[in-house]
Amino acid sequence: MTETYRPRRSVLYIPGSNDKALAKLASLACDAIIIDLEDAVAPADKVAARERLAGIFASRPNRRCEMIVRVNALSSEWGLDDVQAAAKVEADGILLPKVVTPRDILEVGDVLDDNFAADTVKIWAMIETPKALLNIGAIAELGRDPASRLACFVAGTNDLIKETGILATPDRRYLMPWLMQMVLAARAGGLDILDGVTNDFRDLDALARECAEAAAMGFDGKSLIHPAQIEAANRAFAPSAEALAEARAVKDAFALTENAGKGVIALNGKMVERLHLAQAEKLLAKAAAIGA
């Protein structure tokens, strides 16, 4: 996790070449926006999309909303210029596609350092290839080193399906083992992690189901492709009223004079440890950040 908690329940991709979508930035209720210079932009439009960044960030919404730029791979003809442009506009983060080894993260970090990018410019990594999954432990370990700038993983489920040839079923049964592997690695590295997109933005029932499953698996939020998906993601990844009540009860119980210094207490017939207090405090901080 980053030092200051930032909610990432709903993270919306917006093509850097789509003026109509970009004009709606200020009205979006998502926690973060990804200006996409990669998959969503045709090769002929990539330079023009990059050149729009200055105007986009100059008029960014006043409310608290992370602004991330998904760049093209550093190995491509556009990648280096994309990273430099994102650094210049002081994006909150750079989403790096096709990450396969820790070196991919370190190389982008070097570019940011060489361009005197502020420490607040973080790196997000797409986990979307078989090789990335095989190397995910080593990649995630970079999250323990602030100098790496690595802050978040994003599951690239569409690419994983394409690269592996697994069957894309509504229940995502063949993806589940890899999604859980991503969560485990992210937590080991102290990183946030976002679930992949739901392709049919009209099927809000499918979206709600995937969001609920992802929240239960430990994801921090979901990447989205349409504004209509924002509300469901915000709801699914926010603490429930019941969870908040329980968290407050745990915090209040440990604050009692008779429980001072105790490692374990009894609350409503259950054993509660200080690790539960830490979980409760984290949940309450999350609720405060999103205004729940």
Side-chain angles (χ1 to χ4, degrees):
M1 293 288 294
T2 52
E3 290 182 4
T4 300
Y5 176 77
R6 304 201 67 167
R8 290 164 178 160
R9 301 165 298 165
S10 52
V11 181
L12 179 67
Y13 286 104
I14 297 181
S17 56
N18 189 328
D19 290 331
K20 183 178 179 181
L22 291 168
K24 299 177 181 178
L25 286 183
S27 66
L28 298 172
C30 51
D31 289 333
I33 293 164
I34 297 173
I35 306 300
D36 193 4
L37 304 181
E38 196 219 9
D39 282 349
V41 179
D45 298 328
K46 288 186 182 292
V47 174
R50 182 198 308 134
E51 291 174 346
R52 286 187 176 92
L53 288 180
I56 293 169
F57 278 82
S59 58
R60 64 184 298 174
N62 290 327
R63 66 181 180 81
R64 185 179 184 181
C65 177
E66 280 188 287
M67 296 276 285
I68 311 300
V69 177
R70 178 158 75 166
V71 300
N72 289 278
L74 207 59
S75 59
S76 73
E77 62 184 282
W78 308 283
L80 180 59
D81 289 336
D82 287 351
V83 174
Q84 291 174 336
K88 186 175 182 180
V89 299
E90 296 187 349
D92 293 303
I94 291 173
L95 177 54
L96 186 62
K98 305 296 187 293
V99 170
V100 293
T101 70
R103 171 47 53 188
D104 297 320
I105 305 295
L106 296 173
E107 287 179 350
V108 172
D110 287 343
V111 173
L112 292 174
D113 292 343
D114 291 344
N115 284 271
F116 305 102
D119 292 341
T120 53
V121 181
K122 302 301 183 182
I123 297 175
W124 293 19
M126 294 289 303
I127 305 299
E128 55 187 343
T129 68
K131 192 169 184 180
L133 279 171
L134 291 176
N135 294 328
I136 195 166
I139 297 170
E141 190 62 25
L142 292 176
R144 295 296 179 186
D145 180 5
S148 77
R149 299 177 182 260
L150 184 62
C152 187
F153 279 164
V154 181
T157 46
N158 283 333
D159 278 271
L160 275 174
I161 289 169
K162 177 178 71 72
E163 294 292 331
T164 59
I166 63 170
L167 183 64
T169 59
D171 62 5
R172 305 200 296 177
R173 70 182 70 177
Y174 303 114
L175 274 171
M176 287 295 181
W178 299 333
L179 293 174
M180 292 303 301
Q181 185 180 357
M182 292 182 205
V183 171
L184 189 65
R187 297 303 175 232
L191 304 170
D192 275 4
I193 181 159
L194 306 177
D195 190 15
V197 301
T198 300
N199 294 318
D200 188 350
F201 59 83
R202 297 165 299 184
D203 191 345
L204 295 182
D205 289 337
L207 171 71
R209 182 176 63 250
E210 288 190 10
C211 286
E213 290 171 348
M217 285 190 285
F219 282 87
D220 295 288
K222 192 166 180 68
S223 47
L224 312 172
I225 57 172
H226 193 279
Q229 298 177 317
I230 295 172
E231 182 181 355
N234 281 346
R235 183 170 58 250
F237 292 98
S240 67
E242 294 79 6
L244 286 175
E246 183 176 348
R248 292 189 187 102
V250 170
K251 184 177 180 180
D252 290 345
F254 272 103
L256 294 174
T257 303
E258 60 265 31
N259 292 329
K262 289 185 179 180
V264 181
I265 63 173
L267 179 63
N268 298 326
K270 296 180 180 179
M271 181 187 74
V272 181
E273 301 178 67
R274 288 205 168 264
L275 66 88
H276 298 115
L277 174 61
Q279 290 174 324
E281 290 174 336
K282 182 177 180 180
L283 192 71
L284 292 170
K286 179 177 182 179
I290 62 179

